[in-house]
Amino acid sequence: GDIFFEFGQWTIEQKEMLLLEKNAGWLSEHADIQIEIEGHADSRGTNEYNLVLGEKRANAVQEHLVQLGVDPSRLLVISYGEERPSCTTEDDACYGQNRRVHFRAR
């Protein structure tokens, strides 16, 4: 599942930690799979800012997964900033869906 963030933040909230722990467990059971950790942002702010923010979010998730025992060589961090929204409506609920880290097997 995706990890969600507050506006302008890259700190992982406690409620998201449980999902990260679940993801780390799944990765431990599937040691042959490599994962892309995609950082995303909502459409507010400049493209450059959102790319950096997405990268900070993805890096925070990667660091936590490594702390949970996942081999860092299995993890690739990439930021899409605001370029790949999961929701395109211009409202707070949609913005919240786009402030995320998404996992993709590669």
Side-chain angles (χ1 to χ4, degrees):
D2 290 347
I3 305 299
F4 295 94
F5 296 85
E6 293 297 319
F7 178 72
Q9 299 297 310
W10 58 91
T11 302
I12 303 168
E13 293 189 2
Q14 189 62 36
K15 63 183 177 182
E16 301 296 329
M17 292 290 188
L18 297 174
L19 182 56
L20 268 181
E21 290 171 7
K22 183 177 176 181
N23 288 349
W26 186 89
L27 286 167
S28 294
E29 294 171 5
H30 300 89
D32 58 325
I33 294 178
Q34 295 185 333
I35 298 293
E36 283 184 9
I37 302 172
E38 301 176 353
H40 298 272
D42 65 37
S43 60
R44 297 173 290 179
T46 66
N47 193 40
E48 294 80 15
Y49 173 82
N50 287 331
L51 283 170
V52 171
L53 184 57
E55 183 176 8
K56 287 180 178 182
R57 289 172 173 164
N59 283 331
V61 167
Q62 178 192 35
E63 289 172 17
H64 193 70
L65 287 172
V66 169
Q67 290 174 356
L68 291 170
V70 178
D71 181 349
S73 68
R74 298 175 56 202
L75 306 172
L76 173 68
V77 167
I78 188 163
S79 177
Y80 290 108
E82 63 188 77
E83 298 301 316
R84 293 188 179 183
S86 65
C87 180
T88 57
T89 304
E90 297 289 324
D91 63 25
D92 287 339
C94 186
Y95 293 143
Q97 292 177 39
N98 291 329
R99 295 188 305 262
R100 71 195 191 284
V101 163
H102 179 76
F103 301 94
R104 185 179 312 276
R106 52 184 192 110

